[in-house]
Amino acid sequence: MTTTLTTPHTHRSLARHEIRSYATSPLFLIGLLGLTAVTLLSALGEDDGSSSTMNMIVPATLLGLFGMIVMAGQTRRSDRAAAAAGASPAGESRRTLALMAAIVVPLAAALVWFAISLVVLRSSPPADWAVPFGPFGLGDVQVVMFALGVVSAVGGPLLGLLVARWLPGRSWAAVAPVVVVLVTILLQGNFEATWHWRVIWPWTYWYGPLGWSNIESQVSHWVALPGSPWMWLVYLCALCVLGGLVALFHDPESDRARLRRLVVLVGMLALVALALTMFLGLDQAVVNPIPGSSF
Amino acid sequence: MARYAAQATPWGLVALAGTLLMVLLAALRLDPWTLWPLQGVAVGLLAGAVGWCLDEPAAVVADAAPRGLVWRTTARLGGVALLLASWAAAVWWARSVLFGQAGAVLIQGWAAAALTCAWVTWRRAAGEAVPGQRWALVVIPLSAAWALVRPLEEALPVFPFAATASTWETSRWGWTIVAVVSVAVLVLVLARDVHLPASRGTQRARARLPHP
């Protein structure tokens, strides 16, 4: 049984503490270092013709995937500290909100990455065989870069928070990234059978040399996949909010009736956005007729 | 020893990791060209699970017991052996899609396991209770990131890709050196534990126990 006595000052201090812990976490710093090195090498090195349009895997992995582990560990530390304190100054919901505040750290890093990527995209435009082409415009490309690079940097830590809250046992924090990578790589858009419904998963490619099976020939045509990336961005944002609400719902002392209503509301919004993702935008995959290099 | 091994080894995690190893390498059979990063992810998972097996959550009690680190590490090797067997079976199952490099892939897993054993046992000898968990939470995302992003793939081919023979050769040598050095370190750590009256971990654990 914990006693809860909170003031706005307590909330701010708790949030500041979690933000500082996240920003100084060794795994986050390793990821940030890797992201900086790869982004600089990519920006200053020789361009392969795709400019910065295919670099989203770097922040998704080094901020998002690493963020899952960082946030799961931080959540467990927060719970241990609260249990040790006994009469905790903040209940689970308040601590969950403070942990969510720490997401500003990977978000800020991802936004800097995105800004650099846009500069590279403008200063060294992609080749004609890449994107944008035909009906898939520059705006679509930028939305995809934002969704796969920035939103995944926020979504990863939120997923780590969910795992730590709902799955007891530290081993889940280690196994979860493996499962996430496995499903992501299967649904990243390489298999034609998944092209129409792959958008259910929160990380998938929208364009690229998706005839990668021809990698031996070193030549392939870039493809833009069906759906609306703009509505997909709405879907991803709704998923992030949903993740936060479900994490808050874990607290038995929270206002669960209100949270349940919000979960249903945001869940429905996510479903509508998903349906619109599938039915708006390109209705079929479009192939760039100019042959380009594969990766 | 069997009773200790049965209770001390995280068999549930061993079973889950062993199954995931099979799934990860079996998935390569769908299309190794596009799913190849799963091979590196599997190596990281193997290393993480091996580390977890060697942890001693009850170190405060176990480190002060007369049984030394060698005995307890040997008892825990059952879980490690199962994981290595799963790895070997998974590589054998996927051998037709490993670009003719099944042997090199097998070595990667075994070398990663040897490195893990050396590091975790060294930290255990120093008195740390669960170094394997910390190791797993670093090595799994790092190996996944390395496999997905593939930095320095020519200069440092940790997880080589496709049919470039030179990078496979470099990688095979690198992993073999890692394995040999790791086994040497492991033997040294365990030998020290046998010859010293009590390792630092044991000394610390005994100091924590109440005096009669």
Side-chain angles (χ1 to χ4, degrees):
Chain A
M1 183 70 187
T2 57
T3 305
T4 305
L5 180 66
T6 51
T7 63
H9 178 69
T10 319
H11 303 161
R12 277 198 298 273
S13 316
L14 209 54
R16 268 200 302 271
H17 169 76
E18 297 298 357
I19 289 170
R20 207 169 28 244
S21 294
Y22 198 107
T24 53
S25 151
L27 199 55
F28 168 71
L29 292 174
I30 291 172
L32 188 62
L33 195 69
L35 177 66
T36 309
V38 175
T39 304
L40 285 179
L41 281 174
S42 162
L44 303 175
E46 196 182 336
D47 182 19
D48 59 8
S50 65
S51 186
S52 57
T53 59
M54 291 298 285
N55 293 349
M56 298 80 76
I57 185 72
V58 184
T61 308
L62 297 176
L63 296 176
L65 198 68
F66 283 22
M68 277 180 73
I69 303 260
V70 173
M71 186 57 93
Q74 207 160 314
T75 306
R76 290 217 157 74
R77 271 195 300 281
S78 163
D79 287 350
R80 273 203 307 270
S88 170
E92 186 187 304
S93 294
R94 292 297 173 194
R95 284 185 288 109
T96 302
L97 284 172
L99 285 162
M100 281 187 219
I103 287 169
V104 297
V105 177
L107 175 64
L111 284 173
V112 171
W113 166 85
F114 184 62
I116 293 172
S117 296
L118 287 186
V119 170
V120 173
L121 188 65
R122 298 293 163 120
S123 60
S124 153
D128 292 342
W129 47 257
V131 282
F133 71 90
F136 204 82
L138 186 62
D140 297 318
V141 173
Q142 289 168 349
V143 164
V144 171
M145 286 169 66
F146 184 84
L148 295 183
V150 179
V151 181
S152 62
V154 171
L158 274 173
L159 191 55
L161 178 63
L162 269 180
V163 168
R165 279 275 172 264
W166 286 98
L167 296 174
R170 208 178 174 195
S171 55
W172 287 109
V175 172
V178 176
V179 176
V180 167
V181 171
L182 176 63
V183 180
T184 303
I185 212 161
L186 289 171
L187 292 182
Q188 66 178 328
N190 281 309
F191 299 106
E192 202 171 332
T194 66
W195 281 0
H196 281 278
W197 57 270
R198 78 197 192 290
V199 289
I200 291 170
W201 192 246
W203 208 95
T204 183
Y205 280 116
W206 281 79
Y207 53 78
L210 296 170
W212 281 339
S213 293
N214 298 324
I215 203 161
E216 283 165 297
S217 67
Q218 297 291 309
V219 173
S220 70
H221 287 270
W222 277 42
V223 182
L225 297 186
S228 163
W230 297 83
M231 289 318 300
W232 193 59
L233 181 60
V234 176
Y235 169 64
L236 293 188
C237 292
L239 280 189
C240 286
V241 175
L242 197 61
L245 291 171
V246 174
L248 285 169
F249 191 83
H250 182 264
D251 181 8
E253 292 176 10
S254 62
D255 182 356
R256 282 191 161 174
R258 186 165 153 266
L259 279 174
R260 195 174 288 119
R261 280 196 299 275
L262 283 171
V263 165
V264 170
L265 196 70
V266 178
M268 282 168 62
L269 175 70
L271 282 177
V272 170
L274 179 62
L276 291 175
T277 302
M278 290 177 176
F279 293 116
L280 298 180
L282 299 177
D283 56 349
Q284 290 295 326
V286 180
V287 180
N288 189 332
I290 306 168
S293 70
S294 61
F295 290 95
Chain B
M1 187 180 271
R3 201 165 61 179
Y4 172 81
Q7 291 182 359
T9 309
W11 293 110
L13 183 79
V14 169
L16 179 63
T19 310
L20 265 176
L21 285 176
M22 302 289 275
V23 171
L24 287 167
L25 287 198
L28 287 180
R29 292 167 66 98
L30 292 173
D31 186 353
W33 292 98
T34 59
L35 304 180
W36 189 250
L38 292 179
Q39 183 265 332
V41 174
V43 172
L45 175 64
L46 175 65
V50 166
W52 214 287
C53 276
L54 297 172
D55 276 347
E56 186 68 83
V60 177
V61 178
D63 281 353
R67 303 286 195 193
L69 188 62
V70 178
W71 187 89
R72 279 178 282 124
T73 304
T74 309
R76 286 172 174 277
L77 287 182
V80 175
L82 258 181
L83 286 166
L84 293 181
S86 296
W87 177 249
V91 171
W92 182 82
W93 175 251
R95 67 192 184 288
S96 60
V97 292
L98 297 179
F99 304 111
Q101 303 288 349
V105 173
L106 192 70
I107 289 173
Q108 285 180 18
W110 285 356
L115 175 66
T116 304
C117 285
W119 193 85
V120 174
T121 309
W122 171 55
R123 295 315 304 155
R124 284 288 304 112
E128 216 175 304
V130 286
Q133 293 186 15
R134 282 201 307 123
W135 170 262
L137 291 174
V138 171
V139 79
I140 290 176
L142 271 186
S143 58
W146 201 283
L148 288 165
V149 180
R150 300 210 309 264
L152 311 169
E153 59 179 322
E154 292 293 327
L156 195 59
V158 179
F159 305 120
F161 178 53
T164 39
S166 62
T167 55
W168 277 105
E169 194 57 28
T170 312
S171 172
R172 192 192 297 259
W173 273 105
W175 282 106
T176 307
I177 291 167
V178 166
V180 170
V181 172
S182 301
V183 170
V185 169
L186 180 64
V187 170
L188 272 176
V189 170
L190 292 176
R192 229 172 124 238
D193 193 72
V194 169
H195 289 110
L196 285 178
S199 68
R200 263 200 294 168
T202 310
Q203 287 169 13
R204 277 185 201 161
R206 285 181 184 160
R208 280 196 292 264
L209 288 178
H211 292 289

